[in-house]
Amino acid sequence: MSETAKKTIRCNAGAKINLFLDVISKRDDGYHNLVSVMQRLELCDSLEFKKVNKPGYFKLVCDRRRMPTDAKNLVHKAYTALKLRYPQVDGIFVNLMKTVPVSAGLGGGSSDCAAALVALRRMFGLDVSDDELSAIARTLGADVPFFINGATALAEGIGDILTPIENVSALHILLVRPRISVSTKSVFSSFTLSEHHPDVNEMLSALSKGDIDEISSCLYNALESVTAGLYPIIRDIKSEMIENGASGSLMSGSGPTVFGIFKTKEAAESCMTVIKGAHPEINEMFVTETAAV
């Protein structure tokens, strides 16, 4: 084990939203080519990694009872991927404390995976660059490389070709995750490609200006029509956000989480109170901010 190895590492794994998501074409491998603007949030999971003196040992525990902690979990997959390349990655106990909603279009699992890759690199003093770590991340999921570097990025390809976007102003965000289950695979299967493709450069220009109203006017998610068609509550929540102070509102990823952009934290909290009253069955709502680098 390297002299730089750490016995305990604590880290956060932030959620993300898609400020812009367009589906360009279907690939021969069954995936789709996308153009997206991904934005990390302050809302995050917490992870603690401990080095234990037990050769061949890896254990993951989570405070969410229904969260798999076996080889299906992306944190476990991150460990396995590094272990194959660096045998010294060994003897690890991980405590995952979830805050980011699961299967919500917020990238929580991918973020946890990226956090594990970064933490284990540090714990074992691995001589692995960010680019090399991103290449490993790419084998674990299309969104995972985004969480290795930066807070805002233009994502292309299947979402893994990233161009960092610098100096994005902080935005106040309200997240509402309806109590419905959405299959990303089913959403893409039901999606019909369009010849109309909004210009992502308009969103990039709005972000560079930090103009909230302009950013809000450029919000776009091609998948929203599919998911909202199946679950009208998504449109209901969007309308309620706009009626109660949001500059703009959109579904993130393939859903079902809906986010609103607000000019103040107080405005976002006020809107959350209204939506809680209208939807007492929804227990996952968060006021947060966009994260900086």
Side-chain angles (χ1 to χ4, degrees):
M1 185 170 67
S2 167
E3 293 180 359
T4 61
K6 307 291 182 182
K7 290 185 178 180
T8 302
I9 290 179
R10 298 177 181 87
C11 59
N12 293 328
K16 63 83 183 170
I17 53 175
N18 300 86
L19 297 172
F20 185 99
L21 175 57
D22 194 14
V23 183
I24 304 302
S25 61
K26 188 169 183 178
R27 298 156 51 107
D28 292 339
D29 59 10
Y31 289 93
H32 289 77
N33 287 311
L34 311 173
V35 174
S36 180
V37 176
M38 301 174 71
Q39 172 63 58
R40 195 182 303 198
L41 302 177
E42 292 290 347
L43 180 75
C44 61
D45 295 337
S46 297
L47 298 96
E48 182 179 69
F49 297 80
K50 289 186 178 181
K51 181 73 182 71
V52 296
N53 190 25
K54 294 182 180 180
Y57 179 85
F58 178 88
K59 184 172 183 179
L60 168 66
V61 299
C62 181
D63 60 353
R64 293 276 185 96
R65 288 182 299 172
R66 296 184 180 180
M67 175 67 66
T69 55
D70 57 9
K72 296 177 183 178
N73 189 288
L74 281 168
V75 172
H76 199 299
K77 291 182 178 182
Y79 156 75
T80 301
L82 285 179
K83 176 73 173 173
L84 286 171
R85 295 165 174 82
Y86 307 96
Q88 66 267 41
V89 177
D90 192 34
I92 304 158
F93 176 83
V94 186
N95 185 13
L96 169 60
M97 292 150 281
K98 290 292 294 180
T99 299
V100 178
V102 177
S103 300
L106 298 173
S110 295
S111 186
D112 294 340
C113 182
L117 292 173
V118 173
L120 293 174
R121 174 178 65 177
R122 181 183 170 205
M123 175 171 277
F124 291 92
L126 303 179
D127 185 18
V128 184
S129 69
D130 282 352
D131 286 345
E132 290 170 323
L133 204 63
S134 293
I136 296 172
R138 195 172 289 112
T139 68
L140 300 172
D143 286 350
V144 181
F146 165 72
F147 292 102
I148 299 290
N149 299 295
T152 315
L154 172 66
E156 299 174 276
I158 61 172
D160 61 334
I161 302 172
L162 301 168
T163 304
I165 303 170
E166 307 292 344
N167 303 317
V168 175
S169 300
L171 301 171
H172 299 284
I173 304 293
L174 169 60
L175 300 172
V176 177
R177 194 245 194 254
R179 296 187 68 178
I180 53 179
S181 179
V182 174
S183 164
T184 298
K185 183 177 180 179
S186 295
V187 170
F188 273 98
S189 296
S190 301
F191 179 77
T192 301
L193 288 167
S194 171
E195 295 182 1
H196 170 68
H197 298 288
D199 188 356
V200 69
N201 289 311
E202 294 181 2
M203 173 60 80
L204 301 181
S205 175
L207 288 170
S208 70
K209 297 174 188 175
D211 187 317
I212 292 177
D213 290 329
E214 191 172 339
I215 291 168
S216 297
S217 71
C218 294
L219 293 174
Y220 179 75
N221 185 344
L223 299 176
E224 187 177 85
S225 61
V226 176
T227 309
L230 296 171
Y231 304 101
I233 191 174
I234 290 171
R235 292 196 180 101
D236 293 343
I237 293 171
K238 285 186 64 180
S239 296
E240 289 161 7
M241 286 189 179
I242 297 298
E243 291 167 4
N244 290 279
S247 299
S249 181
L250 192 71
M251 184 185 80
S252 184
S254 58
T257 300
V258 177
F259 68 88
I261 299 176
F262 294 80
K263 293 182 178 177
T264 66
K265 178 182 178 182
E266 292 73 19
E269 290 174 339
S270 176
C271 181
M272 182 169 67
T273 299
V274 172
I275 294 178
K276 279 183 176 179
H279 302 278
E281 78 283 2
I282 299 178
N283 57 14
E284 290 185 299
M285 299 188 196
F286 306 89
V287 171
T288 184
E289 291 186 11
T290 52
V293 177

